[in-house]
Amino acid sequence: MVNGVHFKDELIIYREDDLTRVFKSSCTHLGCQIRQSGDGNLVCPCHGSRFDYYGKVLNGPANSPLEQAKFEVDKIKNELIIYD
Ligand code: FES
């Protein structure tokens, strides 16, 4: 997977070289699916909440971070294994 933000099913995958973070894409405000990134953050289409690439809230109305997904990187196969 190349570096950057990827939207897959109900997940957001952030990749930067050896660093990977995986979040649930449900906004913590009212549950809209986040499918957009811009200006270095993740943007909810419903009411405009913004999150950084750690899942932390930058702008409300959401007031809690994106839920992190449990995952593992299989370095041999270069695959992401999601456990949720
Ligand atoms: S559901 Fe995302 S900001 Fe309201």
Side-chain angles (χ1 to χ4, degrees):
M1 188 176 284
V2 297
N3 285 343
V5 179
H6 305 273
F7 299 97
K8 183 174 185 328
D9 301 325
E10 296 186 350
L11 298 171
I12 300 169
I13 302 162
Y14 177 77
R15 191 79 181 256
E16 187 180 322
D17 300 325
D18 284 341
L19 173 77
T20 303
R21 291 189 208 107
V22 182
F23 306 99
K24 305 282 178 75
S25 58
S26 290
C27 178
T28 55
H29 178 226
L30 294 176
C32 288
Q33 293 298 302
I34 298 171
R35 285 284 177 254
Q36 180 187 356
S37 69
D39 296 332
N41 33 92
L42 302 163
V43 184
C44 180
C46 291
H47 312 103
S49 289
R50 289 179 173 264
F51 302 84
D52 67 12
Y53 293 151
Y54 291 86
K56 188 177 127 197
V57 177
L58 297 172
N59 278 87
N63 58 18
S64 54
L66 295 177
E67 184 181 348
Q68 297 199 26
K70 292 184 181 128
F71 70 96
E72 187 177 318
V73 177
D74 182 333
K75 292 192 176 193
I76 294 170
K77 293 180 181 174
N78 195 27
E79 285 180 2
L80 201 57
I81 302 161
I82 309 290
Y83 293 109
D84 282 324

Coordinates of all heavy atoms in Angstrom, one line a residue:
M1 N 0.9 -1.2 0.0 CA 0.0 0.0 0.0 C 0.9 1.2 0.0 O 1.8 1.3 0.8 CB -0.9 0.0 1.2 CG -2.0 1.0 1.2 SD -3.1 0.9 2.6 CE -4.1 -0.5 2.1
V2 N 0.6 2.2 -0.8 CA 1.4 3.4 -0.9 C 1.1 4.3 0.2 O 0.1 4.2 0.9 CB 1.2 4.1 -2.3 CG1 1.6 3.2 -3.4 CG2 -0.3 4.5 -2.4
N3 N 2.0 5.2 0.5 CA 1.8 6.2 1.6 C 0.6 7.1 1.3 O 0.3 7.4 0.2 CB 3.1 7.1 1.7 CG 4.2 6.4 2.3 OD1 4.1 5.4 3.0 ND2 5.4 7.0 2.2
G4 N 0.0 7.5 2.4 CA -1.2 8.4 2.3 C -2.4 7.9 3.0 O -2.3 7.0 3.8
V5 N -3.5 8.5 2.7 CA -4.8 8.1 3.3 C -5.6 7.2 2.4 O -5.7 7.6 1.2 CB -5.6 9.3 3.7 CG1 -6.9 8.9 4.4 CG2 -4.8 10.2 4.6
H6 N -6.1 6.1 2.9 CA -6.9 5.2 2.0 C -8.2 4.9 2.7 O -8.2 4.7 4.0 CB -6.1 3.9 1.8 CG -4.8 4.1 1.3 ND1 -4.5 4.1 0.0 CD2 -3.6 4.3 1.9 CE1 -3.2 4.4 -0.2 NE2 -2.6 4.4 1.0
F7 N -9.3 4.9 2.0 CA -10.6 4.6 2.5 C -11.0 3.3 2.0 O -11.1 3.1 0.8 CB -11.6 5.7 2.1 CG -11.2 7.1 2.6 CD1 -10.5 8.0 1.7 CD2 -11.5 7.5 3.8 CE1 -10.1 9.2 2.2 CE2 -11.2 8.8 4.3 CZ -10.5 9.6 3.5
K8 N -11.2 2.3 2.9 CA -11.6 1.0 2.5 C -12.7 0.4 3.4 O -12.5 0.4 4.6 CB -10.3 0.1 2.6 CG -10.5 -1.3 2.1 CD -9.2 -2.1 2.2 CE -9.3 -3.5 1.6 NZ -10.5 -4.2 1.7
D9 N -13.8 0.1 2.7 CA -15.0 -0.4 3.5 C -15.3 0.6 4.6 O -15.5 1.8 4.3 CB -14.7 -1.8 4.1 CG -14.4 -2.8 2.9 OD1 -15.0 -2.6 1.9 OD2 -13.6 -3.7 3.1
E10 N -15.3 0.2 5.8 CA -15.6 1.2 6.9 C -14.4 1.5 7.7 O -14.4 1.8 8.9 CB -16.7 0.5 7.8 CG -18.0 0.4 7.0 CD -19.1 -0.1 7.9 OE1 -18.9 -0.5 9.0 OE2 -20.3 -0.1 7.3
L11 N -13.3 1.6 7.0 CA -12.0 1.9 7.6 C -11.3 3.1 6.9 O -11.5 3.3 5.7 CB -11.1 0.7 7.6 CG -11.6 -0.5 8.4 CD1 -10.7 -1.7 8.1 CD2 -11.6 -0.3 9.9
I12 N -10.4 3.7 7.7 CA -9.5 4.7 7.2 C -8.1 4.2 7.5 O -7.8 3.9 8.7 CB -9.7 6.1 7.8 CG1 -11.1 6.6 7.6 CG2 -8.7 7.1 7.3 CD1 -11.5 7.8 8.4
I13 N -7.3 4.1 6.5 CA -5.9 3.6 6.7 C -5.0 4.7 6.4 O -5.0 5.3 5.3 CB -5.7 2.3 5.8 CG1 -6.7 1.3 6.2 CG2 -4.3 1.8 6.0 CD1 -6.8 0.2 5.1
Y14 N -4.1 5.0 7.3 CA -3.1 6.0 7.1 C -1.8 5.3 7.1 O -1.4 4.6 8.0 CB -3.1 7.1 8.2 CG -2.0 8.1 8.1 CD1 -2.1 9.1 7.1 CD2 -0.9 8.0 8.8 CE1 -1.1 10.0 6.9 CE2 0.2 8.9 8.7 CZ 0.0 9.9 7.7 OH 1.0 10.8 7.5
R15 N -1.0 5.6 6.0 CA 0.3 4.9 5.8 C 1.3 5.9 5.5 O 1.2 6.8 4.7 CB 0.1 3.9 4.6 CG 1.3 3.0 4.5 CD 1.1 1.8 5.5 NE 2.2 0.9 5.4 CZ 2.1 -0.3 4.8 NH1 1.0 -0.7 4.2 NH2 3.1 -1.1 4.8
E16 N 2.4 5.8 6.3 CA 3.6 6.7 6.0 C 4.8 5.8 6.3 O 5.2 5.6 7.4 CB 3.6 7.9 7.0 CG 4.6 8.9 6.7 CD 4.5 10.1 7.6 OE1 3.4 10.5 8.0 OE2 5.6 10.6 8.1
D17 N 5.5 5.3 5.2 CA 6.6 4.4 5.3 C 6.3 3.2 6.2 O 5.4 2.5 5.9 CB 7.8 5.2 5.7 CG 8.2 6.3 4.8 OD1 7.9 6.1 3.5 OD2 8.6 7.4 5.2
D18 N 7.0 3.1 7.3 CA 6.7 1.9 8.2 C 5.6 2.1 9.2 O 5.3 1.2 9.9 CB 8.0 1.5 8.9 CG 9.0 0.8 8.0 OD1 8.5 0.3 7.0 OD2 10.2 0.7 8.4
L19 N 5.0 3.3 9.2 CA 4.0 3.7 10.1 C 2.6 3.4 9.5 O 2.4 3.9 8.4 CB 4.1 5.2 10.5 CG 3.0 5.7 11.4 CD1 3.2 5.3 12.8 CD2 3.1 7.2 11.3
T20 N 1.8 2.7 10.2 CA 0.4 2.5 9.8 C -0.6 2.8 10.9 O -0.3 2.4 12.1 CB 0.2 1.0 9.3 OG1 1.1 0.7 8.3 CG2 -1.2 0.8 8.8
R21 N -1.6 3.5 10.6 CA -2.7 3.7 11.6 C -4.0 3.3 10.9 O -4.2 3.6 9.7 CB -2.8 5.1 12.1 CG -1.6 5.6 12.9 CD -1.9 7.0 13.5 NE -0.6 7.6 13.7 CZ -0.1 8.5 13.0 NH1 -0.8 9.1 12.0 NH2 1.1 9.0 13.2
V22 N -4.9 2.7 11.7 CA -6.2 2.3 11.1 C -7.3 2.8 12.0 O -7.3 2.5 13.3 CB -6.3 0.8 10.9 CG1 -7.6 0.4 10.3 CG2 -5.1 0.3 10.1
F23 N -8.3 3.5 11.5 CA -9.4 4.0 12.3 C -10.7 3.5 11.6 O -10.8 3.2 10.5 CB -9.5 5.5 12.2 CG -8.2 6.2 12.6 CD1 -7.3 6.6 11.7 CD2 -7.9 6.3 14.0 CE1 -6.1 7.2 12.1 CE2 -6.7 7.0 14.4 CZ -5.9 7.4 13.4
K24 N -11.8 3.4 12.5 CA -13.1 3.2 12.0 C -13.5 4.5 11.3 O -13.2 5.6 11.8 CB -14.1 2.9 13.1 CG -13.7 1.8 14.0 CD -14.0 0.5 13.3 CE -13.6 -0.7 14.1 NZ -14.5 -1.0 15.2
S25 N -14.2 4.5 10.2 CA -14.5 5.7 9.5 C -15.8 6.4 9.9 O -16.2 7.4 9.4 CB -14.6 5.4 8.0 OG -15.6 4.4 7.7
S26 N -16.5 5.8 11.0 CA -17.7 6.4 11.5 C -17.3 7.6 12.3 O -16.5 7.5 13.3 CB -18.4 5.5 12.4 OG -19.0 4.4 11.7
C27 N -17.9 8.8 11.9 CA -17.6 10.0 12.7 C -18.2 9.8 14.1 O -19.3 9.3 14.3 CB -18.3 11.2 12.0 SG -18.1 12.7 12.8
T28 N -17.5 10.3 15.1 CA -17.9 10.2 16.5 C -18.9 11.2 16.9 O -19.4 11.2 18.0 CB -16.7 10.3 17.4 OG1 -16.0 11.5 17.2 CG2 -15.7 9.1 17.2
H29 N -19.4 12.0 15.9 CA -20.5 12.9 16.2 C -21.8 12.1 16.1 O -22.4 11.7 17.1 CB -20.4 14.2 15.3 CG -21.6 15.1 15.6 ND1 -22.3 15.6 14.5 CD2 -22.1 15.6 16.7 CE1 -23.2 16.4 15.0 NE2 -23.2 16.4 16.3
L30 N -22.2 11.9 14.9 CA -23.5 11.2 14.6 C -23.3 10.0 13.7 O -24.3 9.5 13.2 CB -24.6 12.1 14.1 CG -25.0 13.2 15.1 CD1 -26.0 14.1 14.5 CD2 -25.6 12.6 16.4
G31 N -22.1 9.6 13.4 CA -21.9 8.3 12.7 C -21.8 8.4 11.2 O -21.8 7.3 10.6
C32 N -21.7 9.6 10.6 CA -21.6 9.6 9.1 C -20.2 9.0 8.8 O -19.3 9.0 9.6 CB -21.6 11.1 8.7 SG -23.2 11.8 8.7
Q33 N -20.1 8.5 7.6 CA -18.9 7.9 7.1 C -18.0 9.0 6.6 O -18.3 9.8 5.7 CB -19.2 6.9 6.0 CG -19.9 5.6 6.5 CD -19.1 4.9 7.5 OE1 -18.0 4.4 7.2 NE2 -19.7 4.7 8.7
I34 N -16.8 9.0 7.1 CA -15.8 9.9 6.6 C -15.0 9.3 5.4 O -14.5 8.2 5.5 CB -14.8 10.2 7.8 CG1 -15.5 10.9 8.9 CG2 -13.6 11.1 7.2 CD1 -14.7 11.0 10.2
R35 N -15.1 10.0 4.3 CA -14.5 9.5 3.1 C -13.7 10.6 2.4 O -13.6 10.5 1.1 CB -15.7 9.0 2.2 CG -16.3 7.7 2.6 CD -15.3 6.6 2.2 NE -15.8 5.3 2.6 CZ -15.3 4.6 3.6 NH1 -14.3 5.1 4.3 NH2 -15.7 3.4 3.9
Q36 N -13.2 11.5 3.1 CA -12.6 12.6 2.5 C -11.4 13.1 3.4 O -11.6 13.2 4.6 CB -13.6 13.8 2.3 CG -13.0 15.0 1.6 CD -14.0 16.1 1.6 OE1 -15.2 16.0 2.0 NE2 -13.6 17.3 1.2
S37 N -10.3 13.4 2.7 CA -9.2 14.1 3.5 C -8.8 15.3 2.7 O -9.0 15.4 1.5 CB -8.0 13.2 3.7 OG -7.4 13.0 2.5
G38 N -8.4 16.3 3.4 CA -8.0 17.6 2.8 C -7.2 18.4 3.7 O -7.5 18.4 4.9
D39 N -6.3 19.2 3.3 CA -5.5 20.1 4.1 C -4.9 19.3 5.3 O -4.8 19.9 6.4 CB -6.3 21.3 4.6 CG -6.7 22.1 3.4 OD1 -6.0 22.2 2.4 OD2 -7.8 22.8 3.6
G40 N -4.5 18.1 5.1 CA -3.8 17.3 6.2 C -4.8 16.8 7.2 O -4.3 16.5 8.3
N41 N -6.1 16.8 7.0 CA -7.0 16.2 8.0 C -8.1 15.5 7.3 O -8.3 15.5 6.1 CB -7.5 17.2 9.0 CG -7.7 18.6 8.5 OD1 -8.8 19.0 8.1 ND2 -6.7 19.4 8.6
L42 N -8.8 14.7 8.2 CA -10.0 13.9 7.7 C -11.2 14.7 8.0 O -11.4 15.3 9.0 CB -10.0 12.6 8.5 CG -8.8 11.8 8.4 CD1 -8.7 10.7 9.5 CD2 -8.7 11.1 7.0
V43 N -12.1 14.8 7.0 CA -13.3 15.7 7.0 C -14.6 14.9 7.0 O -14.8 14.1 6.1 CB -13.2 16.7 5.9 CG1 -14.4 17.7 6.0 CG2 -11.9 17.4 5.8
C44 N -15.4 15.1 8.0 CA -16.8 14.5 7.9 C -17.7 15.4 7.0 O -17.8 16.6 7.2 CB -17.4 14.4 9.3 SG -19.0 13.7 9.3
P45 N -18.4 14.7 6.1 CA -19.2 15.4 5.2 C -20.5 16.0 5.8 O -21.2 16.9 5.2 CB -19.6 14.4 4.1 CG -19.5 13.1 4.8 CD -18.4 13.3 5.9
C46 N -20.9 15.5 6.9 CA -22.2 15.8 7.5 C -22.2 17.2 8.2 O -23.1 18.0 7.8 CB -22.8 14.8 8.4 SG -23.2 13.2 7.5
H47 N -21.4 17.4 9.1 CA -21.4 18.6 9.9 C -20.0 19.2 10.0 O -19.8 20.1 10.8 CB -22.0 18.4 11.3 CG -23.3 17.6 11.3 ND1 -23.3 16.3 11.6 CD2 -24.5 18.0 10.9 CE1 -24.6 15.8 11.4 NE2 -25.3 16.8 11.0
G48 N -19.1 18.7 9.2 CA -17.8 19.4 9.1 C -16.8 19.1 10.2 O -15.7 19.8 10.2
S49 N -17.0 18.1 11.0 CA -15.9 17.8 12.0 C -14.6 17.4 11.2 O -14.7 16.8 10.2 CB -16.3 16.6 12.9 OG -17.3 17.0 13.8
R50 N -13.5 17.8 11.9 CA -12.2 17.5 11.3 C -11.4 16.7 12.3 O -11.4 17.1 13.5 CB -11.5 18.8 10.8 CG -12.1 19.4 9.6 CD -11.4 20.7 9.2 NE -11.9 21.1 7.9 CZ -11.4 20.9 6.8 NH1 -10.3 20.2 6.7 NH2 -11.9 21.3 5.6
F51 N -10.6 15.8 11.8 CA -9.7 14.9 12.6 C -8.4 14.9 12.0 O -8.2 15.0 10.8 CB -10.3 13.5 12.7 CG -11.7 13.4 13.2 CD1 -12.7 13.6 12.3 CD2 -11.9 13.1 14.5 CE1 -14.1 13.4 12.7 CE2 -13.3 12.9 14.9 CZ -14.3 13.1 14.1
D52 N -7.3 14.8 12.9 CA -6.0 14.7 12.3 C -5.7 13.2 12.0 O -6.6 12.4 12.2 CB -4.9 15.3 13.2 CG -4.7 14.6 14.5 OD1 -5.2 13.4 14.7 OD2 -4.1 15.1 15.4
Y53 N -4.5 12.9 11.5 CA -4.2 11.6 11.1 C -3.8 10.7 12.3 O -3.4 9.5 12.1 CB -3.1 11.6 10.0 CG -3.5 12.2 8.7 CD1 -2.6 12.8 7.9 CD2 -4.8 12.2 8.3 CE1 -2.9 13.4 6.7 CE2 -5.2 12.7 7.1 CZ -4.2 13.4 6.3 OH -4.6 13.9 5.1
Y54 N -4.0 11.2 13.5 CA -4.0 10.3 14.7 C -5.4 10.0 15.1 O -5.6 9.3 16.1 CB -3.2 11.0 15.8 CG -1.8 11.2 15.6 CD1 -1.3 12.3 14.9 CD2 -0.9 10.2 16.0 CE1 0.1 12.4 14.6 CE2 0.5 10.4 15.8 CZ 0.9 11.5 15.1 OH 2.3 11.6 14.9
G55 N -6.4 10.6 14.4 CA -7.8 10.4 14.8 C -8.3 11.4 15.8 O -9.5 11.4 16.2
K56 N -7.4 12.4 16.2 CA -7.8 13.4 17.2 C -8.7 14.5 16.6 O -8.5 14.9 15.5 CB -6.5 14.0 17.7 CG -6.7 14.9 18.9 CD -5.3 15.4 19.4 CE -5.4 16.9 19.4 NZ -4.1 17.5 19.5
V57 N -9.7 14.9 17.4 CA -10.6 16.0 16.9 C -9.8 17.3 16.7 O -9.2 17.7 17.7 CB -11.8 16.2 17.9 CG1 -12.6 17.3 17.4 CG2 -12.6 14.9 18.0
L58 N -9.9 17.9 15.6 CA -9.4 19.3 15.4 C -10.5 20.3 15.4 O -10.2 21.4 15.9 CB -8.7 19.3 14.0 CG -7.5 18.4 13.8 CD1 -7.0 18.4 12.4 CD2 -6.4 18.8 14.8
N59 N -11.6 19.9 14.9 CA -12.8 20.8 14.9 C -14.1 20.0 15.1 O -14.2 19.0 14.5 CB -13.0 21.5 13.5 CG -12.1 22.7 13.4 OD1 -11.0 22.6 13.0 ND2 -12.6 23.9 13.8
G60 N -14.9 20.5 16.0 CA -16.2 19.8 16.2 C -17.2 20.0 15.1 O -16.9 20.6 14.1
P61 N -18.4 19.5 15.3 CA -19.0 19.2 16.6 C -18.6 17.9 17.3 O -18.9 17.7 18.4 CB -20.5 19.2 16.3 CG -20.6 18.8 14.8 CD -19.4 19.5 14.2
A62 N -17.9 17.0 16.6 CA -17.4 15.8 17.3 C -16.5 16.2 18.4 O -15.8 17.2 18.3 CB -16.7 14.9 16.3
N63 N -16.6 15.4 19.5 CA -15.7 15.8 20.6 C -14.9 14.6 21.2 O -14.3 14.7 22.2 CB -16.5 16.5 21.7 CG -17.6 15.6 22.3 OD1 -17.6 14.4 22.0 ND2 -18.6 16.2 23.0
S64 N -15.0 13.5 20.4 CA -14.1 12.4 20.8 C -13.4 11.9 19.6 O -13.9 12.0 18.4 CB -14.9 11.3 21.5 OG -16.0 10.9 20.8
P65 N -12.2 11.3 19.8 CA -11.4 10.8 18.6 C -12.0 9.7 17.9 O -12.9 9.0 18.4 CB -10.1 10.4 19.3 CG -10.4 10.1 20.7 CD -11.6 11.0 21.1
L66 N -11.6 9.5 16.6 CA -12.0 8.3 15.9 C -11.5 7.1 16.6 O -10.5 7.0 17.2 CB -11.4 8.4 14.5 CG -11.8 9.5 13.6 CD1 -11.1 9.5 12.2 CD2 -13.3 9.5 13.3
E67 N -12.4 6.0 16.5 CA -12.0 4.8 17.1 C -10.9 4.1 16.3 O -11.0 3.9 15.1 CB -13.3 3.9 17.2 CG -13.0 2.6 17.9 CD -14.3 1.7 17.9 OE1 -15.4 2.2 17.6 OE2 -14.1 0.5 18.3
Q68 N -9.9 3.6 17.0 CA -8.9 2.9 16.4 C -9.2 1.4 16.2 O -9.9 0.8 17.0 CB -7.6 3.0 17.2 CG -7.1 4.4 17.3 CD -5.7 4.5 17.7 OE1 -4.9 3.6 17.5 NE2 -5.3 5.6 18.4
A69 N -8.9 0.9 15.0 CA -9.1 -0.5 14.7 C -7.9 -1.4 15.1 O -6.8 -0.9 15.0 CB -9.4 -0.7 13.3
K70 N -8.1 -2.6 15.5 CA -7.0 -3.5 15.9 C -6.5 -4.1 14.5 O -7.3 -4.6 13.7 CB -7.5 -4.6 16.8 CG -7.8 -4.0 18.2 CD -8.1 -5.1 19.1 CE -8.5 -4.6 20.5 NZ -9.8 -5.0 21.0
F71 N -5.3 -4.1 14.4 CA -4.7 -4.6 13.1 C -3.3 -5.1 13.3 O -2.7 -4.8 14.3 CB -4.8 -3.5 12.0 CG -3.8 -2.4 12.2 CD1 -2.5 -2.5 11.6 CD2 -4.1 -1.4 13.1 CE1 -1.6 -1.4 11.8 CE2 -3.2 -0.4 13.3 CZ -1.9 -0.4 12.7
E72 N -2.8 -5.7 12.3 CA -1.4 -6.2 12.3 C -0.9 -6.1 10.9 O -1.7 -6.3 9.9 CB -1.4 -7.7 12.8 CG 0.0 -8.2 13.0 CD -0.2 -9.7 13.5 OE1 -1.0 -9.9 14.4 OE2 0.6 -10.5 13.0
V73 N 0.4 -5.8 10.7 CA 0.9 -5.7 9.4 C 1.7 -7.0 9.1 O 2.6 -7.3 9.9 CB 1.8 -4.5 9.2 CG1 2.5 -4.5 7.8 CG2 1.1 -3.2 9.4
D74 N 1.4 -7.8 8.1 CA 2.2 -8.9 7.7 C 3.2 -8.4 6.8 O 3.0 -8.2 5.6 CB 1.2 -10.0 7.1 CG 2.0 -11.2 6.7 OD1 3.2 -11.2 6.4 OD2 1.4 -12.3 6.6
K75 N 4.4 -8.3 7.3 CA 5.5 -7.7 6.5 C 6.0 -8.6 5.4 O 6.5 -8.1 4.4 CB 6.7 -7.3 7.4 CG 6.3 -6.1 8.3 CD 7.4 -5.5 9.0 CE 6.9 -4.3 9.8 NZ 7.9 -3.4 10.2
I76 N 5.8 -9.9 5.5 CA 6.2 -10.8 4.5 C 5.3 -10.7 3.3 O 5.8 -10.6 2.2 CB 6.2 -12.3 5.0 CG1 7.3 -12.4 6.1 CG2 6.5 -13.3 3.9 CD1 7.3 -13.6 6.9
K77 N 4.0 -10.7 3.6 CA 3.1 -10.6 2.4 C 2.7 -9.2 2.1 O 2.0 -8.9 1.2 CB 1.8 -11.3 2.8 CG 1.9 -12.8 2.9 CD 0.6 -13.4 3.3 CE 0.7 -14.9 3.5 NZ -0.5 -15.5 4.0
N78 N 3.2 -8.2 2.9 CA 2.9 -6.8 2.8 C 1.4 -6.6 2.8 O 0.8 -5.9 1.9 CB 3.5 -6.2 1.5 CG 3.5 -4.7 1.5 OD1 3.5 -4.1 2.6 ND2 3.4 -4.1 0.3
E79 N 0.7 -7.2 3.8 CA -0.7 -7.1 3.9 C -1.1 -6.6 5.3 O -0.4 -6.8 6.2 CB -1.4 -8.5 3.8 CG -1.4 -9.0 2.3 CD -2.1 -10.4 2.3 OE1 -2.5 -10.9 3.3 OE2 -2.1 -11.0 1.2
L80 N -2.3 -6.0 5.3 CA -2.8 -5.5 6.5 C -3.9 -6.5 7.0 O -4.8 -6.8 6.2 CB -3.4 -4.1 6.3 CG -3.7 -3.2 7.4 CD1 -2.4 -2.9 8.1 CD2 -4.3 -1.9 6.8
I81 N -3.8 -6.9 8.3 CA -4.8 -7.9 8.8 C -5.6 -7.1 9.8 O -5.0 -6.6 10.8 CB -4.1 -9.1 9.4 CG1 -3.2 -9.8 8.4 CG2 -5.1 -10.0 10.0 CD1 -2.2 -10.7 9.0
I82 N -6.9 -7.0 9.6 CA -7.7 -6.2 10.5 C -8.5 -7.2 11.4 O -9.0 -8.2 10.9 CB -8.8 -5.4 9.7 CG1 -8.1 -4.6 8.6 CG2 -9.6 -4.5 10.6 CD1 -7.3 -3.4 9.1
Y83 N -8.6 -6.9 12.7 CA -9.2 -7.8 13.6 C -10.6 -7.4 14.1 O -11.0 -8.0 15.1 CB -8.3 -8.0 14.8 CG -7.0 -8.7 14.5 CD1 -5.8 -8.1 14.5 CD2 -7.0 -10.1 14.1 CE1 -4.6 -8.7 14.1 CE2 -5.9 -10.8 13.8 CZ -4.7 -10.1 13.8 OH -3.5 -10.7 13.4
D84 N -11.2 -6.4 13.6 CA -12.5 -6.1 14.1 C -13.6 -6.5 13.1 O -13.7 -6.3 12.0 CB -12.6 -4.6 14.3 CG -11.9 -4.2 15.5 OD1 -12.0 -4.9 16.5 OD2 -11.3 -3.1 15.6
Ligands
FES1 S1 -21.7 13.2 11.9 FE1 -19.7 13.9 11.5 S2 -19.8 16.0 12.1 FE2 -21.8 15.3 12.5

